[in-house]
Structure formats: structure tokens, C-alpha cells
């Protein structure tokens, strides 16, 4: 069986796509997989690193603020559609899977024109534009939230949850041992602030403003800045440690990147993060209490809608981006002091988990292709 998987642009699209591909190969070892993504985006590195072939299209997202820039976007879209036709001729897939993002648009649209069955995977509680445009002709749409009938034909929807990275789920360590492995004092509560691989300006600014207050509460802090902000946060750390030589590595670690999120999920008492779909699915699987600061810079404000889907069920605390610099540290200190509140959030978010999404989606794709 030949399976084409298209989408990308962010880790939130790439990690689920790779999870589905891995599940396909586990369940059906004779499967041949080809990825199609956007040239110059992170999938062009991450997919080959995972051992899969990928073709890059020159497609780009529409600029909703500077409309004059979209002439170039339309030219790239036209070229991508022509390239997509050639990819379909050369690879001749049995099914095409779209994981969202503008990178999947040209590929799946051309597949649907040729009568090749398509399956969509929608990670967010508010459907993306590309998936909404492709939904009418899709054979199946796998979603992570209830109530998605307002975006997609009800008869095509399957509630599967989002695929998550297998390596985040279980370390076999209790909280104290996980803290020790990360180099933290096992006797203190640990708050982890995670801004993603590139980083989040608001989270970093909020931590600069509130770090003293969080440390004064007795907590330890793991602060992941992202590579875009590595240099300025390293300069901040240098100045901070000059003023506070009593704060050792056992209390504070500031790093551009975290390679062992499994240790973070095992050891942290509280997570502060953006509200991307993959992050939320991981929180659900591991049962982690979190403060979510939705990014306002994403299409359709879907991170805020993701966070609201949790806060309505007492499964997270939300601090809006505009309020974070003034309020985030106070919310962190409040929750760290309230073990019962954290336990309630952890229980509620775990109750939303839908494990095994990767294999459910893989089996559904296989069944569609076989028929």
C-alpha cells in the first residue's frame, strides 16, 4: 500500500503526521510512505530525520494583514498545484492523508480531483481553513474534540484524539527521581515554562517580570526560551545570577531547548505553555496540570478556542496573552500553593484523553485504501 501524507509548517502538524506514519509502518509493514510539505519549513528537516522521504512544495500561507503580498502567494499556489499533479503521477498513492496547514491544500485538492481517497486529521477544536475546504470530498475526518459537526459533514467524522509522540508518555520514574535526573531539588515543586522550539515572546517577557516571585514561593523553575530568544534570555540569566548568586542550578535552569519532555512531564508539578493542539493532547495523555497562554498570532484564534475547550471542563487555567506579563507569575504562585486545585485539574484533563489515536487513524486509512 502506498500512503501519501501531506501537511506541516509547525511541530503541531508534523509530530501527528510522523506518529501516523510510524503507526502505519508498525501495523502494515509493507506500507510505502511519502510526505509532502512546504519548502523551507521544519518538516523538510524533521521528516528525513525520522527516516521518511519528503517532497517540498513552494506553497505559502495567505497573509491576512498585508493583502498585497498575496499575489506572490497565489503564484506559489499555482506552481504547487502543478507540482502536486506530478507527485501523484509518480507516486500513485492508494490514499492521501492531510494533517492540516496550508501545505496540505494543493496536494489533497489534486488527489480529490483524481478520485484518490483522502483522510483528514484535524487537531484543533476550531477547524482550520484548509481542512474545511477539503472536507466535502474527504472519505473520513479524524478529530480530537466533540462537536466538530459544525465544521464537517457528520457522517465522515470519527473522534480519535490527536496522535502524540510515544517518547513522552512513560519514563518509569516517579516525580522525585525525574526531578533529580533533570538536576533539580526533588523536595521542591517544579514549574516548567515551555515556549516551543522557536520560543514565545510573551512567555519569555512574563518570566523576566515574574521569575523572582515564583522563586520566592519556594519553587524551582525550568524555563525553555526557544532558539529565537536564546541570546537575549542568556543575557538576562547572566544578570539575574549576578544579582542572585544564591539561586543555583538546582533551583533554576534556563535553556533554549528541552530534549527530554518525558522527564518534564514526569517531574514537573505545573506546566506553563502555549495552547497548541499537540501540547494539549500530551497534557491529556499524561494528566498534567497547566496554565495555558494562547498565542494570538494563529489563524482563527484557534489556540484560544483550544484552551477554552479545557477551561470549560476545569482541565486547565487560561491566562490571555495580553494579560500574561502582569498576571502569569501570580497564577503560577497561586496554583503551586494549592495542591488540591492542581490535582483537580490533572484529573479533569486526564479524563479528556483519547489514547491510541495514531493506530486508530492508521487502521481507518488502511480500510479506506483497501476498499
Amino acid at each position: 500500500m502506498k500512503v501519501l501524507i501531506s501537511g506541516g509548517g509547525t511541530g503541531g502538524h508534523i509530530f501527528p503526521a510522523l506518529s501516523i506514519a510510524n503507526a502505519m509502518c508498525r501495523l502494515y509493514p509493507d506500507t510505502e510512505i511519502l510526505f509532502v510539505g512546504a519548502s523551507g519549513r521544519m518538516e523538510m528537516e524533521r521528516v528525513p530525520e525520522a527516516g521518511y522521504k519528503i517532497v517540498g512544495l513552494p506553497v505559502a500561507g495567505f497573509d491576512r494583514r498585508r493583502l498585497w503580498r498575496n499575489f506572490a502567494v497565489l503564484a506559489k499556489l499555482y506552481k504547487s498545484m502543478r507540482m502536486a499533479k506530478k507527485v501523484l503521477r509518480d507516486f500513485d498513492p492508494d490514499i492521501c492523508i492531510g494533517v492540516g496547514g496550508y501545505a496540505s491544500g494543493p496536494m489533497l485538492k489534486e488527489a480529490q480531483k483524481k478520485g484518490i481517497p483522502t483522510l483528514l486529521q484535524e487537531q484543533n477544536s476550531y477547524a482550520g481553513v484548509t481542512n474545511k475546504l477539503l472536507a466535502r470530498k474527504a472519505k473520513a475526518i479524524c478529530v480530537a474534540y466533540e462537536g466538530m459537526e459544525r465544521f464537517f459533514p457528520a457522517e465522515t467524522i470519527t473522534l480519535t484524539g490527536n496522535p502524540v509522540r510515544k517518547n513522552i508518555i512513560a519514563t518509569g520514574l516517579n516525580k522525585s527521581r525525574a526531578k533529580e535526573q533533570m538536576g533539580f531539588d526533588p523536595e521542591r515543586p517544579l514549574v516548567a515554562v515551555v515556549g516551543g522550539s522557536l520560543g514565545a515572546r510573551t512567555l519569555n517577557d512574563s518570566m523576566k517580570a515574574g521569575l523572582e516571585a515564583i522563586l520566592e514561593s519556594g519553587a524551582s523553575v525550568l524555563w525553555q526560551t526557544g532558539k529565537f530568544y536564546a541570546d537575549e534570555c542568556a543575557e538576562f540569566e547572566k544578570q539575574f545570577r549576578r544579582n542572585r548568586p544564591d539561586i543555583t542550578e538546582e533551583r533554576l535552569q534556563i535553556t533554549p531547548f528541552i530534549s527530554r519532555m518525558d522527564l518534564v512531564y514526569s517531574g514537573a508539578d505545573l506546566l506553563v505553555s502555549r495552547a497548541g493542539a499537540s501540547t494539549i493532547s500530551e497534557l491529556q495523555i499524561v494528566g498534567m496540570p497547566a496554565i495555558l497562554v494562547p498565542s494570538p498570532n494563529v489563524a482563527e484564534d484557534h489556540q484560544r478556542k483550544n484552551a477554552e475547550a479545557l477551561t470549560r471542563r476545569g482541565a486547565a487555567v487560561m491566562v490571555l496573552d495580553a494579560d500574561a506579563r502582569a498576571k502569569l507569575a501570580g497564577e503560577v504562585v497561586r496554583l503551586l500553593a494549592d495542591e488540591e486545585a492542581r490535582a483537580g485539574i490533572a484529573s479533569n484533563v486526564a479524563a479528556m484523553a483519547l489514547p491510541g489515536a495514531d493506530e486508530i487513524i492508521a487502521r481507518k486509512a488502511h480500510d479506506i485504501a483497501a476498499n
Side-chain angles (χ1 to χ4, degrees), residues 56 103 158 190 204 226 314 348:
T158 301
L190 173 62
N204 289 332
N348 291 337

Side-chain angles (χ1 to χ4, degrees), residues 54-102:
I54 186 167
V55 174
L57 303 181
V59 63
F62 281 94
D63 192 326
R64 292 173 171 80
R65 295 179 181 175
R66 293 161 293 189
L67 297 179
W68 65 90
R69 293 193 173 191
N70 290 320
F71 291 109
V73 173
L74 288 170
K76 289 179 179 179
L77 178 62
Y78 177 72
K79 184 177 181 181
S80 296
M81 299 289 277
R82 286 191 292 117
M83 291 176 66
K85 291 178 183 178
K86 183 177 187 306
V87 170
L88 291 173
R89 282 197 308 270
D90 293 347
F91 186 62
D92 191 24
D94 297 293
I95 187 168
C96 291
I97 299 173
V99 295
Y102 56 80

Side-chain angles (χ1 to χ4, degrees), residues 64-354:
R64 292 173 171 80
R65 295 179 181 175
R66 293 161 293 189
L67 297 179
W68 65 90
R69 293 193 173 191
N70 290 320
F71 291 109
V73 173
L74 288 170
K76 289 179 179 179
L77 178 62
Y78 177 72
K79 184 177 181 181
S80 296
M81 299 289 277
R82 286 191 292 117
M83 291 176 66
K85 291 178 183 178
K86 183 177 187 306
V87 170
L88 291 173
R89 282 197 308 270
D90 293 347
F91 186 62
D92 191 24
D94 297 293
I95 187 168
C96 291
I97 299 173
V99 295
Y102 56 80
S104 66
M107 202 68 248
L108 268 78
K109 191 68 176 174
E110 289 301 323
Q112 290 176 343
K113 285 181 184 177
K114 286 177 63 70
I116 298 168
T118 57
L119 179 151
L120 306 180
Q121 199 258 324
E122 176 56 60
Q123 293 107 28
N124 294 293
S125 62
Y126 191 91
V129 171
T130 302
N131 278 348
K132 284 191 283 189
L133 292 172
L134 295 167
R136 190 171 60 84
K137 293 186 177 180
K139 294 288 186 184
I141 304 171
C142 297
V143 302
Y145 294 88
E146 295 175 349
M148 298 301 283
E149 296 83 3
R150 66 192 193 277
F151 303 113
F152 303 130
E155 66 275 11
T156 62
I157 294 174
T158 301
L159 182 65
T160 62
N162 283 326
V164 300
R165 296 172 285 179
K166 293 291 186 190
N167 62 354
I168 64 101
I169 294 172
T171 61
L173 300 174
N174 63 26
K175 200 174 287 292
S176 293
R177 289 286 296 131
K179 287 175 184 175
E180 286 179 344
Q181 283 216 9
M182 289 186 286
F184 287 103
D185 182 344
E187 301 301 318
R188 292 180 180 272
L190 173 62
V191 56
V193 182
V194 180
S197 58
L198 300 181
R201 163 67 69 189
T202 297
L203 294 187
N204 289 332
D205 287 351
S206 300
M207 286 305 296
K208 289 176 185 177
L211 182 59
E212 284 273 11
I214 296 171
L215 290 169
E216 287 303 314
S217 75
S220 300
V221 173
L222 173 61
W223 171 8
Q224 185 255 326
T225 66
K227 70 177 185 179
F228 279 178
Y229 306 100
D231 290 344
E232 70 176 66
C233 290
E235 190 60 37
F236 170 84
E237 180 182 10
K238 189 186 302 182
Q239 183 63 41
F240 182 85
R241 292 195 185 278
R242 192 176 297 134
N243 296 332
R244 291 293 306 268
D246 57 307
I247 301 296
T248 66
E249 290 283 324
E250 277 198 325
R251 295 286 313 282
L252 172 65
Q253 294 177 27
I254 302 177
T255 179
F257 182 72
I258 295 173
S259 59
R260 293 288 306 274
M261 277 303 295
D262 57 330
L263 288 176
V264 175
Y265 283 133
S266 293
D269 296 273
L270 179 66
L271 189 84
V272 177
S273 173
R274 288 302 202 186
S278 289
T279 297
I280 287 178
S281 294
E282 290 176 359
L283 294 173
Q284 291 168 342
I285 291 293
V286 301
M288 169 66 69
I291 298 174
L292 300 174
V293 184
S295 171
N297 304 314
V298 293
E300 290 97 31
D301 200 20
H302 69 242
Q303 284 205 9
R304 179 169 178 169
K305 295 178 175 91
N306 288 348
E308 287 173 343
L310 269 64
T311 57
R312 282 196 297 269
R313 297 177 61 167
V317 171
M318 179 172 68
V319 174
L320 294 180
D321 189 89
D323 299 332
R325 290 166 179 83
K327 295 183 178 179
L328 181 59
E331 282 296 294
V332 168
V333 171
R334 180 184 69 81
L335 275 178
L336 287 175
D338 192 339
E339 188 173 348
E340 186 177 342
R342 293 201 313 275
I345 293 168
S347 175
N348 291 337
V349 75
M352 297 179 71
L354 294 166

